[in-house]
Amino acid sequence: NCVIDRGQLRVSPLTGQLFGGTAVAAIVVDPSGGGTGTRITAKLERVDANQLLSATTPLKQVLFGALSGELRSNGSLAATLP
């Protein structure tokens, strides 16, 4: 679902399968103010730690089990045009 409301772009929910588990995320982009404000929230459930690390880092066969957790990030993007 992608909505523009009061100048904000909201994409929610983004869902998918991730290394044997699930991922759900939401993104809000707000261009008002000095920069482009961004807010990202994500939730992982039962993601295979070994598969994730093996696919995204040089670490292989180091961490085992299921990962679950939440991530919340706020920031701003500054664009410089030539």
Side-chain angles (χ1 to χ4, degrees):
N1 189 10
C2 183
V3 175
I4 296 176
D5 182 30
R6 291 182 231 145
Q8 293 183 344
L9 171 66
R10 295 183 183 139
V11 182
S12 175
L14 297 170
T15 60
Q17 299 295 308
L18 183 67
F19 300 107
T22 59
V24 179
I27 300 171
V28 177
V29 178
D30 184 358
S32 65
T36 301
T38 59
R39 185 171 61 244
I40 300 171
T41 57
K43 183 175 183 179
L44 301 178
E45 292 183 349
R46 298 180 310 277
V47 174
D48 185 294
N50 183 50
Q51 288 182 32
L52 175 65
L53 288 177
S54 294
T56 60
T57 72
L59 302 174
K60 312 284 187 228
Q61 305 294 320
V62 174
L63 182 64
F64 299 92
L67 297 174
S68 295
E70 293 185 27
L71 167 75
R72 295 172 195 225
S73 175
N74 294 310
S76 63
L77 302 172
T80 303
L81 299 175

